[in-house]
Amino acid sequence: MLDHLIRNATLVDGTGAPSRPADLGIRDGRIARIAAPGGIEEEARTEEDATGLVLAPGFVDPHTHYDAQLFWDPYATPSLNHGVTTVAGGNCGFTLAPLHPDRPEDADYTRRMMSKVEGMALAALEEGVEWSWSSFAEYLDALEGRIAVNAGFMVGHCALRRYVMGPDAVTDRQPTKAELTEIVRLLHEAMDAGAWGFSTTQSSTHSDGDGKPVASRHARPAELLALSKAVGEHEGTQIEAIVAGCLDQFDDDEIDLFVEMSAAAGRPLNWNVLTIDAAVPERVPRQLVPSERARKAGGRIVALTMPILTPMNMSLGTFCALNLIPGWGEILSLPVPERMARLRDPDVRAEMLRRADSKEAGVFRRLADFGRYVIGDTYSRENEGVSGRVVNDIAAERGQDPFACLVEICCNDDLRTVLWPMPTDNDPDSWALRRATWTHEDVMLGGSDAGAHLDRMCGAPYTTRFLGDCLRGRRLLPLEQAVKMLTDDPAQLFGLRERGRIAEGFHADLVLFDPERIDAGPATLVHDLPGDSPRLDSKALGIVSVRVNGVETIRDDQVTGAVPGTVLRSGRDTRTVSTK
């Protein structure tokens, strides 16, 4: 007997093949039967009629930071609502394990680092996570049997370094030979337990809770190559890495480093995120140079890129992307009264604008068109009536330049004002360039950062928004190709065993959706994290059902309470994707 039977669905199987009408039967968490409508005669405990609905494989998000959130939210919302059944965590060099058992203060350091660098609410990290582990194996075991999604994790370079070197990990002191041996041994131990591989960051934007460069930024190439080589000694492993050039354009040393790391491991390396903008046509070719060189050197480098323009909010009162503009961090980190005084100074504002528009600002130049910002929530009587309005319009009425106008509004609220930057690359040429770039063999959709920067951006709904755009919006890609990009492509990169496609014998990770309604609602601020901390959320539209390992986890955008997810472990659940 089947556990569940779905009748009369429009099947999009993830391979890119044309859709077809089909019935599908599930048994013991697997896809047991696929047949033409009416072709399955076996009885089922439950069944449903999916006439008019699309049945697709569960979506695979290749870049998340759900490492902490899964402890208080086993449903990985809102990703699961939007059809994501498998998430890759442990990215950018940041993980919650290993933690040294003799230094309980390392957990506090890690919480403060994650709060700063990944925008996770400190109260949520303190109140919502058990912090009961030491080894990476114990961390994975702490999640086993209690999550609704399938989740795999890289092991972060920062945690490895901190475990071995303690506070010296964030100094210029390099590890001794014995210490490097121990760092590599710890990585081996984590991969033996099922870590997907190794992640690291060399990005200048990544600082810890004390404002110091995070531990992995102090590592030299020899250390990174030793760790990369270790990755290649385990089945089903990968590398994920971030350098400063990921945000705009790589320099020659960064290209050399990526190529050497991937070649040393004989494993794919993915990085995040390729920003595509027709106003900067030279960026895409430059960012794909590492991929071209890696293939010649026996490696493979994959660029992640988002298929939507991710909604973000910002503020002059809290840490956000504006702090990463050269010269801005020193001002925006001052105490609020002093910060307001500096921002009100015309000379200070002029210098800030100059720095924001300079070449060194790189991709952050996109944030400097303050006239295009929309004012979000406001908190003072002086700001009544400006919420929802474009700064350019308000500035014109007041006879101010846009940045001065924006600063005045924010100062009226003691810098609590929510700001919504409107994208500068929402033009036909940029979308045409995206469409062309998505088809490159070393470009993959993803980069949501779901689980991080919770009150500033909401990338998790990229799956539903992208499909809605393909079906009823710009129609840049046919549905079958779009689904493949969200399912089989990342599953193949990570070597996921029997996931990413709808095929008999595969795990029953499935999404059933209405093609007439599939989309994502607007991002809204909610306070549902431990400690009443805020985050941005987005409703899934048109998602009828999500199944993980055959068990329904979402019905009509509501979690069912089931937790059938699996902690995916390298080797057991992933096969080696060799580059040679």
Coordinates of all heavy atoms in Angstrom, one line a residue, residues 72-122:
W72 N 15.6 26.8 17.2 CA 14.3 27.4 17.7 C 13.2 27.3 16.6 O 12.1 27.5 16.9 CB 14.5 28.8 18.2 CG 14.8 29.8 17.2 CD1 14.0 30.4 16.3 CD2 16.1 30.5 17.0 NE1 14.7 31.4 15.6 CE2 16.0 31.4 16.0 CE3 17.4 30.3 17.7 CZ2 17.0 32.2 15.6 CZ3 18.4 31.1 17.2 CH2 18.3 32.0 16.2
D73 N 13.6 27.1 15.4 CA 12.7 27.0 14.3 C 13.0 25.8 13.4 O 13.7 26.0 12.4 CB 12.7 28.3 13.5 CG 11.9 28.3 12.3 OD1 11.0 27.4 12.2 OD2 12.1 29.1 11.3
P74 N 12.6 24.6 13.8 CA 13.0 23.4 13.0 C 12.5 23.4 11.6 O 12.9 22.6 10.8 CB 12.4 22.3 13.8 CG 11.3 22.9 14.6 CD 11.7 24.3 14.9
Y75 N 11.6 24.4 11.3 CA 11.0 24.5 9.9 C 11.7 25.4 9.0 O 11.3 25.5 7.8 CB 9.5 24.9 10.1 CG 8.8 24.2 11.2 CD1 8.5 24.8 12.4 CD2 8.4 22.9 11.0 CE1 7.9 24.1 13.4 CE2 7.8 22.2 12.0 CZ 7.5 22.8 13.2 OH 6.9 22.1 14.2
A76 N 12.8 26.0 9.5 CA 13.6 26.9 8.6 C 12.7 27.8 7.8 O 12.8 28.0 6.6 CB 14.5 26.0 7.6
T77 N 11.8 28.5 8.5 CA 10.9 29.4 7.9 C 11.7 30.7 7.6 O 12.6 31.1 8.4 CB 9.7 29.8 8.8 OG1 10.2 30.3 10.0 CG2 8.9 28.5 9.1
P78 N 11.4 31.4 6.5 CA 10.3 31.1 5.6 C 10.8 30.2 4.4 O 10.0 30.0 3.5 CB 9.9 32.4 5.1 CG 11.1 33.3 5.0 CD 11.9 32.8 6.2
S79 N 12.0 29.7 4.4 CA 12.4 28.9 3.3 C 11.5 27.7 3.0 O 11.2 27.5 1.8 CB 13.9 28.4 3.5 OG 14.8 29.5 3.5
L80 N 11.2 27.0 4.0 CA 10.3 25.8 3.8 C 9.0 26.2 3.2 O 8.5 25.5 2.3 CB 10.1 25.0 5.2 CG 9.3 23.7 5.1 CD1 10.0 22.7 4.3 CD2 9.1 23.2 6.5
N81 N 8.4 27.3 3.7 CA 7.2 27.8 3.1 C 7.3 28.0 1.6 O 6.3 27.8 0.9 CB 6.7 29.1 3.8 CG 6.6 29.0 5.3 OD1 7.6 28.8 6.0 ND2 5.4 29.0 5.8
H82 N 8.4 28.4 1.2 CA 8.6 28.7 -0.2 C 9.2 27.5 -1.0 O 9.8 27.7 -2.1 CB 9.6 29.9 -0.4 CG 8.9 31.2 0.1 ND1 8.2 32.0 -0.7 CD2 8.9 31.7 1.4 CE1 7.7 33.0 0.0 NE2 8.1 32.9 1.3
G83 N 9.0 26.3 -0.5 CA 9.3 25.1 -1.2 C 10.7 24.5 -1.1 O 11.1 23.6 -1.7
V84 N 11.5 25.2 -0.2 CA 12.9 24.7 0.0 C 12.9 23.5 0.9 O 12.4 23.6 2.1 CB 13.8 25.8 0.5 CG1 15.2 25.2 0.9 CG2 14.0 26.9 -0.5
T85 N 13.3 22.3 0.5 CA 13.4 21.1 1.3 C 14.8 20.7 1.7 O 14.9 19.9 2.6 CB 12.7 20.0 0.5 OG1 13.4 19.7 -0.7 CG2 11.2 20.2 0.2
T86 N 15.8 21.3 1.1 CA 17.2 21.0 1.5 C 18.0 22.3 1.6 O 17.9 23.1 0.6 CB 17.8 20.1 0.5 OG1 17.2 18.8 0.5 CG2 19.3 19.8 0.8
V87 N 18.7 22.5 2.7 CA 19.5 23.7 2.8 C 20.9 23.4 3.1 O 21.2 22.4 3.7 CB 19.0 24.6 4.0 CG1 17.5 25.0 3.7 CG2 19.0 23.9 5.3
A88 N 21.8 24.2 2.6 CA 23.3 24.1 2.8 C 23.7 25.2 3.8 O 23.5 26.4 3.5 CB 24.1 24.2 1.5
G89 N 24.2 24.8 5.0 CA 24.6 25.8 6.0 C 26.1 25.7 6.2 O 26.8 25.0 5.5
G90 N 26.5 26.4 7.3 CA 27.9 26.4 7.6 C 28.8 27.2 6.6 O 30.0 26.9 6.4
N91 N 28.2 28.2 6.0 CA 28.9 29.0 4.9 C 29.7 30.1 5.5 O 29.6 30.5 6.6 CB 27.9 29.5 3.9 CG 27.3 28.3 3.0 OD1 28.1 27.7 2.3 ND2 26.0 28.1 3.1
C92 N 30.6 30.6 4.6 CA 31.4 31.9 4.8 C 32.3 31.7 6.0 O 32.8 32.7 6.5 CB 30.4 33.1 5.1 SG 29.3 33.4 3.8
G93 N 32.7 30.5 6.4 CA 33.7 30.3 7.5 C 33.1 30.4 8.8 O 33.8 30.3 9.8
F94 N 31.7 30.5 9.0 CA 31.1 30.7 10.3 C 30.2 29.5 10.7 O 29.2 29.2 10.0 CB 30.3 31.9 10.3 CG 31.0 33.1 9.8 CD1 30.6 33.9 8.7 CD2 32.2 33.5 10.5 CE1 31.3 35.0 8.3 CE2 32.9 34.7 10.1 CZ 32.5 35.4 9.0
T95 N 30.6 28.8 11.7 CA 29.8 27.7 12.3 C 29.8 27.8 13.8 O 30.6 28.4 14.4 CB 30.3 26.3 11.8 OG1 31.7 26.2 12.1 CG2 30.0 26.1 10.3
L96 N 28.8 27.1 14.4 CA 28.7 27.1 15.8 C 29.5 26.0 16.5 O 29.5 25.9 17.7 CB 27.2 26.9 16.2 CG 26.2 27.8 15.6 CD1 24.8 27.6 16.2 CD2 26.6 29.2 15.6
A97 N 30.2 25.2 15.7 CA 31.1 24.2 16.2 C 32.3 24.0 15.3 O 32.2 24.4 14.1 CB 30.3 22.8 16.3
P98 N 33.4 23.5 15.8 CA 33.6 23.0 17.1 C 33.8 24.1 18.2 O 34.2 25.2 17.8 CB 34.8 22.1 17.0 CG 35.6 22.7 15.9 CD 34.6 23.2 14.9
L99 N 33.5 23.8 19.4 CA 33.8 24.7 20.5 C 34.7 24.0 21.5 O 34.5 22.9 21.9 CB 32.5 25.1 21.2 CG 31.5 25.9 20.4 CD1 30.2 26.0 21.2 CD2 32.0 27.3 20.2
H100 N 35.7 24.7 22.0 CA 36.7 24.1 22.9 C 36.0 23.8 24.3 O 35.5 24.7 24.9 CB 37.9 25.0 23.1 CG 39.1 24.2 23.6 ND1 39.2 23.7 24.9 CD2 40.3 23.9 23.0 CE1 40.3 23.1 25.1 NE2 41.0 23.2 23.9
P101 N 36.1 22.5 24.7 CA 35.3 22.2 26.0 C 35.9 22.8 27.2 O 35.2 23.0 28.2 CB 35.5 20.7 26.0 CG 36.7 20.3 25.2 CD 36.7 21.4 24.1
D102 N 37.2 23.3 27.1 CA 37.8 23.9 28.3 C 37.7 25.4 28.3 O 38.2 26.1 29.2 CB 39.3 23.5 28.4 CG 39.4 22.0 28.6 OD1 38.5 21.4 29.2 OD2 40.5 21.5 28.1
R103 N 37.0 26.0 27.3 CA 36.9 27.4 27.2 C 35.4 27.8 27.0 O 35.0 28.1 25.8 CB 37.7 28.0 26.1 CG 39.2 28.0 26.3 CD 40.0 28.9 25.4 NE 39.7 28.7 24.0 CZ 40.4 27.9 23.2 NH1 41.5 27.3 23.7 NH2 40.1 27.7 22.0
P104 N 34.6 27.8 28.0 CA 33.2 28.1 27.8 C 33.0 29.5 27.2 O 31.9 29.8 26.6 CB 32.6 28.0 29.2 CG 33.7 28.0 30.2 CD 34.9 27.5 29.4
E105 N 34.0 30.4 27.4 CA 33.8 31.7 26.9 C 33.8 31.8 25.3 O 33.4 32.8 24.7 CB 35.0 32.6 27.4 CG 36.4 32.3 26.9 CD 37.1 31.3 27.8 OE1 36.4 30.6 28.6 OE2 38.3 31.1 27.7
D106 N 34.3 30.7 24.7 CA 34.3 30.6 23.2 C 32.9 30.6 22.7 O 32.6 31.1 21.6 CB 35.0 29.4 22.7 CG 36.5 29.6 22.8 OD1 37.0 30.6 23.4 OD2 37.2 28.7 22.4
A107 N 31.9 30.1 23.4 CA 30.5 30.1 23.0 C 30.0 31.6 22.9 O 29.3 32.0 22.0 CB 29.6 29.3 23.9
D108 N 30.4 32.3 24.0 CA 29.9 33.7 24.0 C 30.6 34.5 22.9 O 30.0 35.3 22.2 CB 30.3 34.4 25.3 CG 30.0 35.9 25.4 OD1 28.7 36.2 25.3 OD2 30.9 36.7 25.5
Y109 N 31.9 34.2 22.6 CA 32.6 34.9 21.5 C 31.9 34.6 20.2 O 31.6 35.4 19.3 CB 34.0 34.4 21.4 CG 34.7 34.9 20.1 CD1 35.3 36.2 20.1 CD2 34.7 34.1 19.0 CE1 35.9 36.6 18.9 CE2 35.3 34.6 17.8 CZ 35.9 35.8 17.8 OH 36.5 36.3 16.6
T110 N 31.5 33.3 20.0 CA 30.8 32.9 18.8 C 29.5 33.5 18.6 O 29.1 34.0 17.5 CB 30.7 31.3 18.7 OG1 32.0 30.7 18.8 CG2 30.0 30.9 17.5
R111 N 28.7 33.6 19.7 CA 27.4 34.3 19.6 C 27.6 35.7 19.2 O 26.8 36.2 18.3 CB 26.7 34.2 21.0 CG 26.2 32.8 21.3 CD 25.3 32.9 22.6 NE 26.0 33.2 23.8 CZ 26.5 32.2 24.6 NH1 26.3 30.9 24.3 NH2 27.1 32.5 25.7
R112 N 28.5 36.4 19.8 CA 28.7 37.8 19.5 C 29.2 38.0 18.0 O 28.8 39.0 17.3 CB 29.7 38.5 20.5 CG 29.0 38.6 21.9 CD 29.9 39.4 22.8 NE 31.2 38.8 23.1 CZ 32.4 39.3 22.6 NH1 32.4 40.4 21.8 NH2 33.5 38.7 22.8
M113 N 30.1 37.1 17.6 CA 30.6 37.2 16.2 C 29.4 36.9 15.2 O 29.3 37.7 14.3 CB 31.7 36.1 16.0 CG 32.2 36.1 14.5 SD 33.4 34.7 14.2 CE 32.3 33.3 14.3
M114 N 28.6 35.9 15.5 CA 27.5 35.7 14.6 C 26.5 36.8 14.6 O 25.9 37.1 13.5 CB 26.8 34.3 15.0 CG 27.7 33.1 14.9 SD 28.3 32.8 13.2 CE 27.0 31.8 12.5
S115 N 26.3 37.4 15.7 CA 25.4 38.6 15.8 C 25.9 39.7 14.9 O 25.1 40.3 14.2 CB 25.2 39.0 17.2 OG 24.4 40.1 17.3
K116 N 27.2 39.9 15.0 CA 27.8 41.1 14.2 C 27.9 40.7 12.7 O 27.4 41.5 11.9 CB 29.1 41.4 14.8 CG 29.9 42.5 14.0 CD 29.3 43.8 14.0 CE 30.1 44.9 13.3 NZ 31.4 45.1 13.9
V117 N 28.5 39.6 12.4 CA 28.9 39.3 11.0 C 27.7 38.8 10.2 O 27.7 39.0 9.0 CB 30.1 38.4 11.0 CG1 29.7 37.0 11.2 CG2 30.9 38.6 9.7
E118 N 26.8 38.1 10.8 CA 25.7 37.5 10.1 C 24.3 38.1 10.5 O 23.3 37.5 10.1 CB 25.7 36.0 10.2 CG 26.8 35.3 9.5 CD 26.9 35.5 8.0 OE1 25.9 35.9 7.5 OE2 27.9 35.1 7.4
G119 N 24.3 39.1 11.3 CA 23.1 39.8 11.6 C 22.1 38.9 12.3 O 20.9 39.1 12.2
M120 N 22.5 38.0 13.2 CA 21.6 37.2 14.0 C 21.4 37.9 15.3 O 22.4 38.4 16.0 CB 22.2 35.8 14.2 CG 22.4 35.0 12.9 SD 23.2 33.4 13.2 CE 23.4 32.8 11.6
A121 N 20.2 38.0 15.8 CA 19.9 38.6 17.0 C 20.6 37.9 18.2 O 20.5 36.7 18.4 CB 18.4 38.6 17.3
L122 N 21.3 38.7 19.0 CA 22.1 38.1 20.1 C 21.2 37.5 21.1 O 21.5 36.4 21.6 CB 22.9 39.2 20.7 CG 23.9 38.7 21.8 CD1 24.8 37.7 21.3 CD2 24.6 39.9 22.4

